[in-house]
Amino acid sequence: MPQIDIEAVKTYLLNLQDNICTAVEAADTQEKFLQDQWDREEGGGGRSRVLANGKVFEQAGINFSHVYGKQLPPSATDKRPELAGCQFQAMGVSLVIHPKNPYVPTSHANVRFFVAEKPNHDPIWWFGGGFDLTPYYPFEQDVKDWHQAAKTICQPYGDDIYPKFKAWCDEYFFLKHRSEPRGVGGLFFDDLNQWGFERSFNFMQAVGNGYLSAYLPIIEKRKDTAYGEREREFQLYRRGRYVEFNLLYDRGTLFGIQSGGRTESILMSLPPLVKWQYNWQPEPNSPEAELYNNYLITKDWV
């Protein structure tokens, strides 16, 4: 039987949540996370932490969950029908950070571990995760640094890993109904088990640990940039794309809802303020148009 260490993964994820919360509180300097500990009737639970109305962050949600049950939900089996009917465990840390300043990008990160089991069969397990960046008024160097951090994380695992997982991220975080990327991408991977448990677990940890080193420098550089009503209104409008993706396409959201997870925790990824405007178009040659023309495109940043 393949040797997997579920408790080691859980311990790492709990520590990761603690470490990221500590770093985000230090960056905000004003507000602290509130925690909700919750139980799931079908099995498992989690702890949700939300920081709201901070000096730097309008809302930051950082969740840990460990749920289990007798049958995987459809979102986990639609591409792997052989897993239908399997008992399962799923655990992970998922976070979304919505800064106040429109010059600081929104960011998302997630690392997770699944185990599916059938009687008289070896367990089927895999890791997944990644992180991506959603700027409103982007700076080219920030985007390059973000992707360089992603590439550095991947490099010890092979020259082909960053290009592969970068392309997967571009493909996944794409709003098909608008033919538009959600942001400038990063890393996305799923179904990772071909390296064996230890190496796959190490990579998942590298992604989880590397998120802060990629994101915190951008926060520090941009959090005090002056902005006005125009920039704020555009930020709220573009946040609408975030809502559209999470409610229409995000597999984590679907898994949480279909598996009977805690709704408040699942939807903490949504921004506290957002707006839609019918058929809005950016003015030609404007800073807003620059986002569409030069950043919401498939591009090799490093």
Side-chain angles (χ1 to χ4, degrees):
M1 176 181 292
Q3 295 299 309
I4 61 175
D5 192 339
I6 294 174
E7 285 305 311
V9 178
K10 184 173 183 178
T11 297
Y12 166 73
L13 292 171
L14 288 167
N15 288 334
L16 178 66
Q17 185 191 34
D18 288 341
N19 293 339
I20 295 177
C21 286
T22 298
V24 170
E25 287 180 347
D28 189 79
T29 73
Q30 177 177 292
E31 295 297 325
K32 301 294 185 181
F33 281 92
L34 299 178
Q35 174 172 295
D36 284 329
Q37 196 93 22
W38 54 273
D39 295 315
R40 176 175 171 272
E41 184 175 344
E42 294 85 351
R47 60 187 195 190
S48 299
R49 294 176 179 172
V50 175
L51 182 155
N53 300 314
K55 181 179 179 181
V56 176
F57 305 111
E58 193 163 355
Q59 182 168 293
I62 305 174
N63 290 344
F64 164 82
S65 63
H66 178 199
V67 301
Y68 46 87
K70 296 180 179 179
Q71 183 169 322
L72 278 161
S75 60
T77 61
D78 58 350
K79 295 186 177 180
R80 299 184 67 173
E82 74 276 11
L83 300 180
C86 285
Q87 298 182 11
F88 77 95
Q89 293 191 59
M91 63 181 72
V93 167
S94 181
L95 67 94
V96 177
I97 296 178
H98 294 288
K100 279 187 172 179
N101 193 314
Y103 288 97
V104 183
T106 287
S107 74
H108 157 263
N110 171 268
V111 285
R112 55 191 181 273
F113 180 59
F114 280 82
V115 181
E117 298 180 90
K118 283 185 177 180
N120 303 316
H121 288 78
D122 288 342
I124 302 168
W125 58 267
W126 66 95
F127 290 94
F131 51 64
D132 68 289
L133 194 70
T134 307
Y136 307 98
Y137 290 92
F139 296 83
E140 184 175 4
Q141 191 59 52
D142 291 351
V143 180
K144 288 182 175 179
D145 290 346
W146 174 262
H147 278 275
Q148 183 59 58
K151 185 176 182 179
T152 300
I153 289 167
C154 294
Q155 195 62 46
Y157 297 86
D159 292 342
D160 62 325
I161 298 305
Y162 167 72
K164 177 181 177 181
F165 291 171
K166 187 265 188 190
W168 201 345
C169 187
D170 290 341
E171 178 183 348
Y172 180 73
F173 291 107
F174 190 81
L175 288 84
K176 301 178 183 65
H177 62 292
R178 293 190 183 272
S179 297
E180 179 183 296
R182 184 168 84 172
V184 296
L187 297 174
F188 181 88
F189 67 99
D190 205 359
D191 301 321
L192 181 65
N193 58 20
Q194 64 270 26
W195 295 338
F197 177 81
E198 183 176 357
R199 186 172 175 83
S200 300
F201 182 25
N202 286 342
F203 179 75
M204 188 266 270
Q205 292 177 78
V207 172
N209 297 340
Y211 164 75
L212 285 175
S213 63
Y215 190 45
L216 287 178
I218 299 174
I219 296 171
E220 289 302 312
K221 282 193 292 185
R222 309 304 173 192
K223 66 180 182 179
D224 296 320
T225 304
Y227 68 92
E229 183 178 354
R230 172 181 178 145
E231 290 86 356
R232 175 62 168 169
E233 288 294 301
F234 184 61
Q235 178 196 44
L236 296 182
Y237 173 75
R238 287 297 308 174
R239 280 179 177 177
R241 300 294 205 271
Y242 215 89
V243 174
E244 291 174 22
F245 180 87
N246 280 24
L247 295 184
L248 292 174
Y249 302 115
D250 188 76
R251 285 162 56 184
T253 301
L254 292 174
F255 178 86
I257 295 295
Q258 292 174 356
S259 63
R262 182 173 183 262
T263 301
E264 286 297 311
S265 299
I266 297 164
L267 297 183
M268 67 86 204
S269 62
L270 303 181
L273 295 174
V274 64
K275 67 180 295 183
W276 280 266
Q277 187 172 336
Y278 178 74
N279 200 29
W280 182 89
Q281 301 293 330
E283 297 177 9
N285 303 314
S286 66
E288 294 78 18
E290 183 180 7
L291 172 69
Y292 288 84
N293 296 334
N294 298 328
Y295 291 90
L296 298 183
I297 56 175
T298 301
K299 182 174 179 178
D300 291 329
W301 293 100
V302 295

Short mmCIF file of all heavy atoms in Angstrom, two decimals, residues 213-245:
data_model
loop_
_atom_site.label_atom_id
_atom_site.label_comp_id
_atom_site.label_asym_id
_atom_site.label_seq_id
_atom_site.Cartn_x
_atom_site.Cartn_y
_atom_site.Cartn_z
N SER A 213 6.08 35.17 0.00
CA SER A 213 7.26 35.80 -0.57
C SER A 213 6.97 36.43 -1.91
O SER A 213 7.65 37.36 -2.34
CB SER A 213 8.40 34.79 -0.69
OG SER A 213 8.05 33.74 -1.58
N ALA A 214 5.93 35.93 -2.59
CA ALA A 214 5.53 36.53 -3.87
C ALA A 214 4.64 37.75 -3.68
O ALA A 214 4.75 38.73 -4.44
CB ALA A 214 4.80 35.48 -4.71
N TYR A 215 3.78 37.74 -2.68
CA TYR A 215 2.74 38.76 -2.55
C TYR A 215 3.12 39.92 -1.64
O TYR A 215 2.83 41.08 -1.95
CB TYR A 215 1.46 38.12 -2.04
CG TYR A 215 0.23 39.00 -2.09
CD1 TYR A 215 -0.07 39.79 -3.20
CD2 TYR A 215 -0.66 39.04 -1.02
CE1 TYR A 215 -1.21 40.58 -3.23
CE2 TYR A 215 -1.80 39.82 -1.05
CZ TYR A 215 -2.07 40.59 -2.16
OH TYR A 215 -3.21 41.38 -2.19
N LEU A 216 3.79 39.64 -0.52
CA LEU A 216 4.07 40.70 0.45
C LEU A 216 4.88 41.86 -0.14
O LEU A 216 4.58 43.03 0.16
CB LEU A 216 4.78 40.12 1.67
CG LEU A 216 3.93 39.28 2.62
CD1 LEU A 216 4.78 38.74 3.75
CD2 LEU A 216 2.77 40.10 3.18
N PRO A 217 5.89 41.62 -0.98
CA PRO A 217 6.63 42.76 -1.54
C PRO A 217 5.76 43.68 -2.39
O PRO A 217 5.98 44.91 -2.40
CB PRO A 217 7.72 42.09 -2.39
CG PRO A 217 7.90 40.74 -1.78
CD PRO A 217 6.54 40.33 -1.34
N ILE A 218 4.77 43.12 -3.08
CA ILE A 218 3.86 43.96 -3.88
C ILE A 218 3.01 44.83 -2.96
O ILE A 218 2.81 46.02 -3.23
CB ILE A 218 2.99 43.08 -4.79
CG1 ILE A 218 3.86 42.28 -5.77
CG2 ILE A 218 1.97 43.93 -5.54
CD1 ILE A 218 3.09 41.28 -6.60
N ILE A 219 2.52 44.25 -1.88
CA ILE A 219 1.74 45.02 -0.92
C ILE A 219 2.55 46.20 -0.40
O ILE A 219 2.08 47.35 -0.37
CB ILE A 219 1.29 44.14 0.26
CG1 ILE A 219 0.34 43.04 -0.22
CG2 ILE A 219 0.62 44.98 1.34
CD1 ILE A 219 0.02 42.00 0.85
N GLU A 220 3.77 45.93 0.01
CA GLU A 220 4.60 46.97 0.61
C GLU A 220 4.89 48.09 -0.38
O GLU A 220 4.92 49.28 0.00
CB GLU A 220 5.91 46.36 1.13
CG GLU A 220 5.74 45.49 2.36
CD GLU A 220 5.11 46.26 3.52
OE1 GLU A 220 5.55 47.39 3.81
OE2 GLU A 220 4.14 45.73 4.11
N LYS A 221 5.10 47.76 -1.64
CA LYS A 221 5.41 48.78 -2.64
C LYS A 221 4.21 49.65 -2.99
O LYS A 221 4.38 50.83 -3.33
CB LYS A 221 5.96 48.11 -3.90
CG LYS A 221 7.39 47.66 -3.81
CD LYS A 221 7.97 47.30 -5.17
CE LYS A 221 7.35 46.05 -5.74
NZ LYS A 221 8.01 45.64 -7.02
N ARG A 222 3.00 49.10 -2.94
CA ARG A 222 1.85 49.80 -3.52
C ARG A 222 0.80 50.27 -2.52
O ARG A 222 -0.09 51.03 -2.89
CB ARG A 222 1.16 48.87 -4.54
CG ARG A 222 2.09 48.26 -5.58
CD ARG A 222 2.86 49.30 -6.35
NE ARG A 222 3.87 48.67 -7.22
CZ ARG A 222 4.84 49.32 -7.85
NH1 ARG A 222 4.93 50.63 -7.72
NH2 ARG A 222 5.71 48.67 -8.60
N LYS A 223 0.88 49.87 -1.26
CA LYS A 223 -0.23 50.12 -0.33
C LYS A 223 -0.44 51.60 -0.03
O LYS A 223 -1.54 52.01 0.37
CB LYS A 223 0.00 49.35 0.97
CG LYS A 223 1.20 49.81 1.77
CD LYS A 223 1.37 49.00 3.05
CE LYS A 223 2.54 49.50 3.87
NZ LYS A 223 2.70 48.72 5.12
N ASP A 224 0.59 52.42 -0.20
CA ASP A 224 0.46 53.84 0.10
C ASP A 224 0.33 54.71 -1.15
O ASP A 224 0.40 55.94 -1.07
CB ASP A 224 1.67 54.31 0.92
CG ASP A 224 1.74 53.63 2.28
OD1 ASP A 224 0.68 53.46 2.90
OD2 ASP A 224 2.85 53.27 2.71
N THR A 225 0.12 54.09 -2.30
CA THR A 225 -0.07 54.85 -3.55
C THR A 225 -1.36 55.66 -3.47
O THR A 225 -2.42 55.14 -3.12
CB THR A 225 -0.12 53.89 -4.75
OG1 THR A 225 1.07 53.09 -4.77
CG2 THR A 225 -0.24 54.66 -6.05
N ALA A 226 -1.29 56.92 -3.81
CA ALA A 226 -2.47 57.78 -3.76
C ALA A 226 -3.47 57.36 -4.84
O ALA A 226 -3.09 57.00 -5.96
CB ALA A 226 -2.07 59.23 -3.96
N TYR A 227 -4.75 57.41 -4.50
CA TYR A 227 -5.80 57.08 -5.47
C TYR A 227 -7.04 57.91 -5.17
O TYR A 227 -7.18 58.48 -4.08
CB TYR A 227 -6.13 55.59 -5.45
CG TYR A 227 -6.80 55.10 -4.19
CD1 TYR A 227 -8.19 55.06 -4.06
CD2 TYR A 227 -6.04 54.66 -3.10
CE1 TYR A 227 -8.81 54.61 -2.90
CE2 TYR A 227 -6.65 54.20 -1.95
CZ TYR A 227 -8.03 54.18 -1.84
OH TYR A 227 -8.63 53.74 -0.70
N GLY A 228 -7.93 57.97 -6.16
CA GLY A 228 -9.16 58.74 -6.01
C GLY A 228 -10.39 57.93 -6.34
O GLY A 228 -10.35 56.70 -6.46
N GLU A 229 -11.49 58.64 -6.54
CA GLU A 229 -12.78 57.98 -6.78
C GLU A 229 -12.75 57.17 -8.07
O GLU A 229 -13.36 56.09 -8.14
CB GLU A 229 -13.90 59.02 -6.83
CG GLU A 229 -15.28 58.42 -7.00
CD GLU A 229 -16.37 59.46 -6.99
OE1 GLU A 229 -16.06 60.65 -6.74
OE2 GLU A 229 -17.54 59.09 -7.24
N ARG A 230 -12.07 57.68 -9.10
CA ARG A 230 -12.02 56.96 -10.38
C ARG A 230 -11.42 55.57 -10.20
O ARG A 230 -11.97 54.57 -10.66
CB ARG A 230 -11.20 57.76 -11.39
CG ARG A 230 -10.93 57.00 -12.69
CD ARG A 230 -10.10 57.83 -13.64
NE ARG A 230 -9.79 57.10 -14.85
CZ ARG A 230 -9.70 57.64 -16.05
NH1 ARG A 230 -9.92 58.93 -16.20
NH2 ARG A 230 -9.39 56.91 -17.10
N GLU A 231 -10.28 55.50 -9.52
CA GLU A 231 -9.61 54.23 -9.31
C GLU A 231 -10.46 53.30 -8.44
O GLU A 231 -10.53 52.09 -8.69
CB GLU A 231 -8.24 54.45 -8.67
CG GLU A 231 -7.22 55.11 -9.58
CD GLU A 231 -7.30 56.63 -9.56
OE1 GLU A 231 -8.20 57.17 -8.89
OE2 GLU A 231 -6.46 57.28 -10.21
N ARG A 232 -11.08 53.86 -7.43
CA ARG A 232 -11.93 53.05 -6.55
C ARG A 232 -13.13 52.47 -7.33
O ARG A 232 -13.46 51.29 -7.17
CB ARG A 232 -12.43 53.89 -5.38
CG ARG A 232 -13.41 53.20 -4.45
CD ARG A 232 -12.81 51.99 -3.78
NE ARG A 232 -13.69 51.54 -2.68
CZ ARG A 232 -13.54 50.38 -2.03
NH1 ARG A 232 -12.54 49.57 -2.36
NH2 ARG A 232 -14.36 50.04 -1.07
N GLU A 233 -13.75 53.25 -8.16
CA GLU A 233 -14.89 52.77 -8.93
C GLU A 233 -14.48 51.66 -9.90
O GLU A 233 -15.20 50.68 -10.07
CB GLU A 233 -15.53 53.93 -9.71
CG GLU A 233 -16.30 54.90 -8.84
CD GLU A 233 -17.53 54.25 -8.21
OE1 GLU A 233 -18.40 53.78 -8.96
OE2 GLU A 233 -17.59 54.21 -6.97
N PHE A 234 -13.31 51.79 -10.50
CA PHE A 234 -12.84 50.75 -11.41
C PHE A 234 -12.50 49.48 -10.64
O PHE A 234 -12.79 48.36 -11.12
CB PHE A 234 -11.61 51.25 -12.18
CG PHE A 234 -11.11 50.27 -13.21
CD1 PHE A 234 -11.92 49.88 -14.27
CD2 PHE A 234 -9.83 49.75 -13.12
CE1 PHE A 234 -11.46 48.98 -15.23
CE2 PHE A 234 -9.35 48.86 -14.08
CZ PHE A 234 -10.17 48.47 -15.14
N GLN A 235 -11.92 49.62 -9.48
CA GLN A 235 -11.64 48.45 -8.64
C GLN A 235 -12.93 47.69 -8.31
O GLN A 235 -12.99 46.46 -8.44
CB GLN A 235 -10.96 48.90 -7.35
CG GLN A 235 -10.65 47.75 -6.37
CD GLN A 235 -10.34 48.27 -4.99
OE1 GLN A 235 -11.03 49.17 -4.49
NE2 GLN A 235 -9.29 47.74 -4.38
N LEU A 236 -13.97 48.42 -7.93
CA LEU A 236 -15.23 47.77 -7.60
C LEU A 236 -15.84 47.09 -8.82
O LEU A 236 -16.41 46.00 -8.73
CB LEU A 236 -16.22 48.78 -7.01
CG LEU A 236 -15.83 49.43 -5.69
CD1 LEU A 236 -16.93 50.38 -5.23
CD2 LEU A 236 -15.55 48.39 -4.61
N TYR A 237 -15.73 47.74 -9.98
CA TYR A 237 -16.24 47.14 -11.20
C TYR A 237 -15.50 45.85 -11.53
O TYR A 237 -16.10 44.83 -11.85
CB TYR A 237 -16.14 48.14 -12.35
CG TYR A 237 -16.49 47.54 -13.69
CD1 TYR A 237 -17.82 47.28 -14.03
CD2 TYR A 237 -15.50 47.22 -14.62
CE1 TYR A 237 -18.15 46.72 -15.25
CE2 TYR A 237 -15.82 46.67 -15.84
CZ TYR A 237 -17.14 46.41 -16.14
OH TYR A 237 -17.47 45.84 -17.37
N ARG A 238 -14.17 45.89 -11.47
CA ARG A 238 -13.39 44.70 -11.81
C ARG A 238 -13.56 43.59 -10.79
O ARG A 238 -13.42 42.41 -11.13
CB ARG A 238 -11.90 45.07 -11.94
CG ARG A 238 -11.56 45.87 -13.18
CD ARG A 238 -11.82 45.09 -14.45
NE ARG A 238 -11.20 43.78 -14.45
CZ ARG A 238 -11.38 42.88 -15.41
NH1 ARG A 238 -12.16 43.14 -16.44
NH2 ARG A 238 -10.78 41.71 -15.34
N ARG A 239 -13.87 43.94 -9.56
CA ARG A 239 -14.16 42.89 -8.58
C ARG A 239 -15.36 42.04 -9.02
O ARG A 239 -15.48 40.88 -8.61
CB ARG A 239 -14.45 43.51 -7.21
CG ARG A 239 -13.23 43.91 -6.42
CD ARG A 239 -13.66 44.53 -5.11
NE ARG A 239 -12.54 44.89 -4.24
CZ ARG A 239 -12.68 45.50 -3.08
NH1 ARG A 239 -13.90 45.84 -2.64
NH2 ARG A 239 -11.62 45.78 -2.34
N GLY A 240 -16.22 42.61 -9.82
CA GLY A 240 -17.34 41.84 -10.33
C GLY A 240 -16.90 40.61 -11.11
O GLY A 240 -17.56 39.58 -11.08
N ARG A 241 -15.78 40.72 -11.80
CA ARG A 241 -15.24 39.57 -12.53
C ARG A 241 -14.85 38.46 -11.56
O ARG A 241 -14.98 37.28 -11.86
CB ARG A 241 -14.04 39.98 -13.38
CG ARG A 241 -14.31 41.04 -14.42
CD ARG A 241 -15.27 40.53 -15.51
NE ARG A 241 -15.10 41.25 -16.75
CZ ARG A 241 -15.74 42.35 -17.08
NH1 ARG A 241 -16.61 42.90 -16.24
NH2 ARG A 241 -15.53 42.94 -18.25
N TYR A 242 -14.33 38.87 -10.42
CA TYR A 242 -13.93 37.89 -9.41
C TYR A 242 -15.15 37.11 -8.92
O TYR A 242 -15.12 35.88 -8.79
CB TYR A 242 -13.26 38.61 -8.23
CG TYR A 242 -12.14 37.82 -7.62
CD1 TYR A 242 -10.84 37.94 -8.10
CD2 TYR A 242 -12.37 36.93 -6.57
CE1 TYR A 242 -9.81 37.22 -7.55
CE2 TYR A 242 -11.34 36.21 -6.02
CZ TYR A 242 -10.06 36.35 -6.51
OH TYR A 242 -9.03 35.61 -5.98
N VAL A 243 -16.22 37.84 -8.68
CA VAL A 243 -17.46 37.19 -8.24
C VAL A 243 -17.97 36.25 -9.32
O VAL A 243 -18.35 35.10 -9.03
CB VAL A 243 -18.53 38.25 -7.90
CG1 VAL A 243 -19.87 37.59 -7.60
CG2 VAL A 243 -18.07 39.11 -6.72
N GLU A 244 -17.98 36.70 -10.56
CA GLU A 244 -18.47 35.87 -11.66
C GLU A 244 -17.69 34.56 -11.75
O GLU A 244 -18.28 33.48 -11.89
CB GLU A 244 -18.40 36.64 -12.97
CG GLU A 244 -19.39 37.79 -13.05
CD GLU A 244 -19.20 38.64 -14.31
OE1 GLU A 244 -18.62 38.13 -15.28
OE2 GLU A 244 -19.62 39.82 -14.30
N PHE A 245 -16.38 34.64 -11.67
CA PHE A 245 -15.59 33.41 -11.78
C PHE A 245 -15.87 32.48 -10.61
O PHE A 245 -16.10 31.28 -10.81
CB PHE A 245 -14.09 33.73 -11.83
CG PHE A 245 -13.26 32.47 -11.95
CD1 PHE A 245 -12.98 31.94 -13.20
CD2 PHE A 245 -12.81 31.79 -10.83
CE1 PHE A 245 -12.26 30.76 -13.32
CE2 PHE A 245 -12.10 30.62 -10.94
CZ PHE A 245 -11.82 30.10 -12.20
#
